Amino acid sequence: MEMNGAQAVIDALIEEGVDTIFGYPGGGIMPFYDQLYFNQDKLNHILVRHEQAAVHAAEGYARSSGRVGVCVATAGPGATNFVTGIADAMMDSTPIVCITAQVQKEGLGASSFQEADIISITLPITKWNYEITCADEIAPVMAKAFRIAQSGRPGPVVISITKNAQTEITDFNYVKESTEIKYELPEEGLDRAVDWINRSKKPLIIAGHGVIISKAEEALSRFAIKTGMPVASTMMGLSCVPSDHPNYIGCVGMHGSHAPNRMTQQADLIIAVGMRFSDRVTGNAKGYAKNAHIIHIEIDPVEIGKSVRADLPIVGDARQVLEALNARDIKCQARPEWWTLAREVASKEAVRLTATQLAEKHGLTMATVVQRISMLAGNNKIVVTDVGQNQMFAARFSYFADRRSWISSGGLGTMGYGLPAAIGAKVANPDKNVIVFMGDGGFQMNIQELGTILQSKIGVKMVLMNNSWLGMVRQWQELFYDKRYSFTYLENPDFQKIAQAYDIPCARVTSLDTLDEAIEQMLNTDGAFLLEACVGDGENVFPMIPAGATIDKIFMDKDFTQL
Ligand SMILES: Cc1ncc(C[n+]2csc(CCOP(=O)(O)OP(=O)(O)O)c2C)c(N)n1
């Protein structure tokens, strides 16, 4: 069917089942926006206030739904404003298609107005990128973009479209590409894995984001129960099994729980599923899991042996591999001593670190705020975070019942991620409670998105941890830089007035006595809400494994109690 290039882009999105896109218009992308004007009943467009936010919103949409997120920007500064979001999606294997405009084909290379070579700029931070210079390329390139973004290890794709390609006429014929990849699994490797599992006395499964991406949650749960093995998750893997799963023992890593970190060092077998041994998980990789054989189940061969040795690599999709293992003859073993250790270490930690205790010691704390919200909000919620202490407390004290209920920037650690990612998650899940935890620093990095919430009526529950500090950096300055607080104090505006200016209901809580009441008010208010918790300024996140240390060095509290 004949149509202009702009309509072809829109029809390609519709063919791919896209219902919502996040974007911001400008000169180069005007033909697309003009065509969108006639297609508003078919494609929902959320007008953000900054292009970086469009990418994070697409990420939040993708991660909370398992579908591809889409964002749109104009040429030049619109496209370059995408860069941080694209790098974030690359690090966290998030399937997004980012559409940017480009100047007319004839103007390429002439330093034309708003010409930026977004293809070269994003080459190292995309799974694939491509510049379309004529309308006939649109259908096949868009089909390829969607296939690449979501197949195998997902990631961001940038499609730059010259202005002439948007206005030229093309005969649109769209053929969707299959994203199914059937991995040829190594029979011998699977047999060896079963043998190691059956002989192991101290096994530990560490589940990462790949479990969620490949929708392997059920297979993982069955595998853990069938083998009787404890399961830990990485921060990116949170919510891949419910917090109260009988085999779940917590989160590993720099601010992970004591038990799984300690058990990593004592385990004789580690089964790493869909995780990449990031330095935030391993600490000093040389001293990592010294006593264990490591089975690494991973879809991306580049990750095998990259930072930690794999004694038995199994390249494949996490679900396919776990299902293949589940179909084999694995013995369930009680391993009472190993489980006793897990429970002992965990209970020791619980005694030291319950949120209630922290509250008794320090008054209103981030930990208490997270824990109370988690309890009062119940299930059917998605927890989104920004970056910093708020993120680590949210990871540690949230209770996860549902799949895909944790969305946070892991690999890049992008401040400013939380608010727009929550917008994307809420758009994809209008019936769920989407709660975003932010620090006062990160909130102000994309605070303009309150305008998006106002205009598009997005019912995100915002929890602002106001401590007047860039808390996580302040913590490191306290612990490792002799309390030299170099430029981490924030003179803040009145956030209540800001919320009011955007017509967003809000409340400020300054003490524990009124916390529950304020949370109920937030949860019972229709639509968006800003809950500002004025928390103490000296709170630190523990446990903590100092950067570069081996994970045996776990600091538990202010006095550096090392366990
Ligand atoms: C874009 C960006 N800039 C700088 C940093 C470094 N950084 C990591 S955490 C942090 C402090 C965050 O402070 P705040 O948002 O107030 O959250 P808190 O730690 O107090 O919860 C900073 C500056 C970052 N991660 N991202």
Side-chain angles (χ1 to χ4, degrees), residues 21 26 88 159 186 262 281 294 341 359 366 370 386 401 404 422 448 464 474 477 513 521 527:
I21 58 177
D88 190 276
I159 300 298
R262 191 37 64 94
V281 164
I294 297 178
L341 177 77
M366 293 197 204
V370 172
D386 207 79
R404 293 184 182 270
Q448 77 287 343
L464 171 62
R474 190 210 57 76
Q477 288 172 336
D513 317 337
Q521 188 191 347

Side-chain angles (χ1 to χ4, degrees), residues 35 94 216 227 241 251 259 282 292 341 359 372 399 413 464 498 506 517 556 561:
Q35 207 62 39
T94 306
T227 55
V241 291
C251 179
T282 61
L341 177 77
R372 293 307 301 162
Y399 175 89
L464 171 62
I498 290 178
C506 55
E517 197 185 311
M556 291 302 287
T561 312

Side-chain angles (χ1 to χ4, degrees), residues 262-331:
R262 191 37 64 94
M263 287 169 76
T264 301
Q265 298 302 72
Q266 297 193 14
D268 61 12
L269 176 67
I270 287 184
I271 305 180
V273 195
M275 56 87 86
R276 61 182 175 87
F277 293 109
S278 108
D279 56 289
R280 283 300 191 259
V281 164
T282 61
N284 183 338
K286 283 202 187 100
Y288 182 77
K290 297 179 291 277
N291 302 309
H293 275 104
I294 297 178
I295 301 176
H296 194 181
I297 301 169
E298 168 59 42
I299 203 159
D300 185 354
V302 167
E303 295 297 347
I304 304 278
K306 189 160 111 180
S307 22
V308 166
R309 74 194 180 280
D311 300 299
L312 174 50
I314 302 180
V315 175
D317 170 82
R319 183 161 51 83
Q320 290 175 24
V321 177
L322 288 172
E323 279 171 358
L325 286 171
N326 281 338
R328 286 173 188 245
D329 185 22
I330 304 178
K331 293 188 204 94

Side-chain angles (χ1 to χ4, degrees), residues 366 386-390 413-415 439-442 445 467 469-473 490:
M366 293 197 204
D386 207 79
V387 166
Q389 292 181 316
N390 61 89
T414 309
M415 280 172 74
D440 39 358
M445 282 213 178
N467 57 5
W469 287 89
L470 297 172
M472 184 58 96
V473 182
L490 296 176

Side-chain angles (χ1 to χ4, degrees), residues 177-301:
E177 295 190 9
S178 165
T179 56
E180 277 295 305
I181 301 175
K182 180 96 182 80
Y183 287 86
E184 210 48 64
L185 299 180
E187 292 297 319
E188 208 184 298
L190 291 173
D191 287 343
R192 186 131 46 99
V194 170
D195 181 45
W196 287 7
I197 292 165
N198 285 342
R199 282 195 287 141
S200 165
K201 304 224 166 351
K202 298 175 175 181
L204 177 65
I205 303 167
I206 305 180
H209 189 200
V211 170
I212 297 167
I213 292 169
S214 75
K215 304 184 173 75
E217 292 96 336
E218 259 161 36
L220 173 70
S221 172
R222 245 181 291 126
F223 180 63
I225 289 169
K226 191 169 175 185
T227 55
M229 291 196 279
V231 190
S233 75
T234 64
M235 187 198 81
M236 288 297 289
L238 281 172
S239 83
C240 73
V241 291
S243 304
D244 63 357
H245 189 285
N247 295 55
Y248 186 62
I249 59 161
C251 179
V252 291
M254 179 178 265
H255 291 289
S257 300
H258 177 212
N261 276 326
R262 191 37 64 94
M263 287 169 76
T264 301
Q265 298 302 72
Q266 297 193 14
D268 61 12
L269 176 67
I270 287 184
I271 305 180
V273 195
M275 56 87 86
R276 61 182 175 87
F277 293 109
S278 108
D279 56 289
R280 283 300 191 259
V281 164
T282 61
N284 183 338
K286 283 202 187 100
Y288 182 77
K290 297 179 291 277
N291 302 309
H293 275 104
I294 297 178
I295 301 176
H296 194 181
I297 301 169
E298 168 59 42
I299 203 159
D300 185 354

